Amino acid sequence: MKIVVIGGTGLIGSKVVEHLAEHGHEAVAASPNSGVNTITGEGVADVLAGANVVVDVSNSPSFADDDVLAFFTTSTSNLLAAEREAGVTHHVALSIVGAELLPASGYLRAKVAQERLIEESGVPFSIVRATQFFEFAGRIADEATVDGVARLSTGLMQPIAAADVSAAVARVAAGDPINGTLEIGGPERFGQDEFVRVGLTAKGDSRTVIGDPEAPYFGTKLTGTELVPTSDGAELSTTTFAEWLAAQSAPVK
């Protein structure tokens, strides 16, 4: 099949393209750098010509509330309209576990709006909702650090390796539309503060991490299991955080 991956040069998309190509599909990485801009519509019709599946793993360049909402709604609307014209029979999108449970987050509100557009589009679809990536422990710490101290929520997370997300998205893209949502996550639950503390320690980062139930997570408060997979049929990967951290520090052969 011809499968177009929007955001196909990023952390997730580049690996999705690799997985699909390894399984014999014509996987096309599309991004503004390749002349495909889903905001302006530039190059979209051309890249979708003859496509069977579109995978959208793109992300907003700005996380400001208005900007991120405009990005996901405009990009997704343009993409879905072009897919209907091109006869695409499967739209796959990457979203976030718990998005609808945390409306105080502008980013998560935007992801919910994106999901709604997909569900109402008439294009057969699959939405893969993932938990936070191992790769972003440092960024979470940076956002929460003041004067060398990272004050972080004690709410639960079930983080996952980006490579495992890419593999799941590629598998879904190669299959039939589920016309619903699949939740994926890692094998272990951590308090957010514990997750970040372990990640920083492994990298030799001396910042102090303090667990605080009132600390916001990208603008919203966590109260329990919002960010962990709880749906029937949720799929858990096998890569532990410790294994992933060890692989990051292993010498390149």
Coordinates of all heavy atoms in Angstrom, one line a residue, residues 140-154 192-193 196-197 200 207-218:
I140 N 9.9 17.6 30.8 CA 9.0 17.8 31.9 C 9.7 18.5 33.0 O 9.2 19.4 33.7 CB 8.4 16.4 32.3 CG1 7.5 15.8 31.2 CG2 7.5 16.6 33.6 CD1 7.0 14.4 31.5
A141 N 10.9 18.0 33.3 CA 11.7 18.6 34.4 C 12.0 20.1 34.1 O 11.9 20.9 35.0 CB 13.0 17.8 34.6
D142 N 12.4 20.4 32.9 CA 12.7 21.7 32.5 C 11.5 22.7 32.7 O 11.7 23.8 33.2 CB 13.2 21.8 31.0 CG 14.5 21.1 30.8 OD1 15.2 20.8 31.8 OD2 14.8 20.8 29.6
E143 N 10.3 22.2 32.3 CA 9.2 23.1 32.4 C 8.8 23.4 33.9 O 8.2 24.4 34.2 CB 8.0 22.4 31.7 CG 8.1 22.3 30.2 CD 7.8 23.6 29.5 OE1 7.1 24.5 30.1 OE2 8.4 23.8 28.4
A144 N 9.2 22.5 34.8 CA 8.9 22.6 36.2 C 10.0 23.1 37.1 O 9.8 23.2 38.3 CB 8.4 21.2 36.7
T145 N 11.1 23.5 36.5 CA 12.3 23.8 37.3 C 12.3 25.3 37.6 O 12.2 26.2 36.7 CB 13.6 23.4 36.6 OG1 13.6 22.0 36.5 CG2 14.8 23.8 37.4
V146 N 12.5 25.7 38.8 CA 12.7 27.1 39.3 C 13.9 27.0 40.3 O 13.8 26.3 41.3 CB 11.5 27.7 39.9 CG1 11.8 29.1 40.4 CG2 10.3 27.7 39.0
D147 N 14.9 27.8 40.0 CA 16.1 27.9 40.9 C 16.7 26.5 41.2 O 17.0 26.2 42.3 CB 15.7 28.6 42.2 CG 15.4 30.0 42.0 OD1 15.9 30.6 41.0 OD2 14.5 30.6 42.8
G148 N 16.8 25.7 40.2 CA 17.4 24.4 40.3 C 16.6 23.3 41.0 O 17.0 22.2 41.2
V149 N 15.3 23.6 41.2 CA 14.4 22.6 41.9 C 13.2 22.4 40.9 O 12.5 23.3 40.5 CB 13.9 23.1 43.2 CG1 12.8 22.2 43.8 CG2 15.0 23.3 44.2
A150 N 12.9 21.1 40.6 CA 11.8 20.7 39.8 C 10.7 20.3 40.7 O 10.8 19.2 41.4 CB 12.2 19.6 38.8
R151 N 9.6 21.0 40.8 CA 8.4 20.6 41.6 C 7.4 20.0 40.7 O 6.9 20.6 39.8 CB 7.9 21.9 42.3 CG 6.8 21.6 43.3 CD 6.4 22.8 44.0 NE 7.5 23.4 44.8 CZ 7.8 23.0 46.0 NH1 7.1 22.1 46.7 NH2 8.8 23.6 46.6
L152 N 7.2 18.7 40.9 CA 6.4 17.9 40.0 C 5.2 17.2 40.7 O 5.3 16.8 41.9 CB 7.2 16.9 39.3 CG 8.2 17.5 38.3 CD1 9.4 16.5 38.1 CD2 7.6 17.8 37.0
S153 N 4.2 17.0 39.9 CA 3.0 16.3 40.4 C 3.3 14.9 40.8 O 4.3 14.2 40.3 CB 2.0 16.2 39.2 OG 0.9 15.4 39.6
T154 N 2.6 14.4 41.8 CA 2.7 13.0 42.2 C 1.7 12.1 41.5 O 1.6 10.9 41.7 CB 2.5 12.9 43.7 OG1 1.2 13.4 44.0 CG2 3.6 13.6 44.5
Q192 N 4.6 11.0 38.7 CA 5.4 11.8 37.7 C 6.7 12.2 38.3 O 7.7 12.3 37.6 CB 4.5 13.0 37.3 CG 5.2 13.9 36.2 CD 4.4 15.0 35.9 OE1 4.7 16.1 36.4 NE2 3.4 14.8 35.1
D193 N 6.7 12.6 39.6 CA 7.9 13.1 40.2 C 9.0 11.9 40.2 O 10.2 12.2 40.0 CB 7.7 13.5 41.6 CG 7.0 12.5 42.5 OD1 6.2 11.7 42.0 OD2 7.3 12.5 43.7
V196 N 10.5 11.4 36.6 CA 11.5 12.4 36.3 C 12.7 12.3 37.1 O 13.9 12.4 36.6 CB 10.9 13.8 36.4 CG1 11.9 14.9 36.3 CG2 9.8 14.0 35.4
R197 N 12.6 12.0 38.4 CA 13.7 11.8 39.3 C 14.6 10.7 38.8 O 15.9 10.9 38.7 CB 13.3 11.5 40.7 CG 14.4 11.5 41.7 CD 13.8 11.2 43.1 NE 12.9 12.3 43.6 CZ 11.6 12.1 43.7 NH1 11.0 10.9 43.5 NH2 10.9 13.1 44.2
L200 N 16.4 11.9 35.5 CA 17.5 12.9 35.7 C 18.7 12.2 36.4 O 19.9 12.5 36.0 CB 17.0 14.0 36.6 CG 15.9 14.9 36.0 CD1 15.6 16.0 37.0 CD2 16.4 15.5 34.7
R207 N 19.6 18.2 39.6 CA 18.5 18.9 40.1 C 17.7 18.2 41.2 O 17.5 17.0 41.1 CB 17.5 19.2 38.9 CG 17.9 20.5 38.2 CD 16.9 20.7 37.0 NE 17.2 19.8 35.9 CZ 16.5 19.9 34.8 NH1 15.5 20.8 34.6 NH2 16.8 19.0 33.8
T208 N 17.2 18.9 42.1 CA 16.3 18.3 43.1 C 14.9 18.2 42.6 O 14.4 19.2 42.0 CB 16.3 19.2 44.4 OG1 17.6 19.3 44.9 CG2 15.3 18.6 45.4
V209 N 14.3 17.1 42.8 CA 12.9 16.9 42.4 C 12.0 16.7 43.6 O 12.3 15.9 44.4 CB 12.8 15.6 41.5 CG1 11.3 15.4 41.1 CG2 13.6 15.8 40.2
I210 N 11.0 17.5 43.7 CA 10.1 17.5 44.8 C 8.7 17.1 44.3 O 8.2 17.7 43.4 CB 10.0 18.9 45.5 CG1 11.4 19.2 46.1 CG2 8.9 18.9 46.6 CD1 11.4 20.6 46.8
G211 N 8.1 16.1 45.0 CA 6.8 15.7 44.6 C 5.7 16.6 45.3 O 5.8 16.8 46.5
D212 N 4.8 17.1 44.5 CA 3.8 18.0 45.1 C 2.5 17.7 44.4 O 2.3 17.9 43.2 CB 4.2 19.5 44.8 CG 3.2 20.5 45.3 OD1 2.2 20.1 45.8 OD2 3.5 21.7 45.2
P213 N 1.5 17.2 45.1 CA 0.2 16.9 44.5 C -0.5 18.1 43.8 O -1.3 17.9 42.9 CB -0.7 16.4 45.7 CG 0.3 16.0 46.7 CD 1.5 16.9 46.6
E214 N -0.1 19.3 44.2 CA -0.7 20.5 43.6 C 0.1 21.0 42.4 O -0.4 22.0 41.8 CB -0.8 21.6 44.7 CG -1.7 21.2 45.9 CD -3.1 20.9 45.5 OE1 -3.7 21.6 44.7 OE2 -3.7 19.9 46.0
A215 N 1.2 20.5 42.1 CA 2.0 21.0 41.0 C 1.3 20.7 39.7 O 0.9 19.6 39.4 CB 3.4 20.3 41.0
P216 N 1.3 21.7 38.8 CA 0.6 21.5 37.5 C 1.5 20.8 36.5 O 2.7 20.8 36.6 CB 0.4 22.9 37.0 CG 1.5 23.7 37.7 CD 1.7 23.1 39.0
Y217 N 0.8 20.1 35.7 CA 1.5 19.4 34.6 C 1.1 20.0 33.3 O -0.1 19.8 32.8 CB 1.1 17.9 34.6 CG 1.6 17.1 33.4 CD1 2.9 16.9 33.1 CD2 0.6 16.5 32.5 CE1 3.3 16.1 32.0 CE2 1.0 15.7 31.4 CZ 2.4 15.6 31.2 OH 2.8 14.8 30.1
F218 N 1.9 20.8 32.7 CA 1.6 21.6 31.5 C 0.2 22.3 31.6 O -0.6 22.2 30.8 CB 1.7 20.7 30.3 CG 3.1 20.3 29.9 CD1 3.5 19.0 30.2 CD2 4.0 21.1 29.4 CE1 4.8 18.5 29.9 CE2 5.3 20.7 29.1 CZ 5.7 19.4 29.4

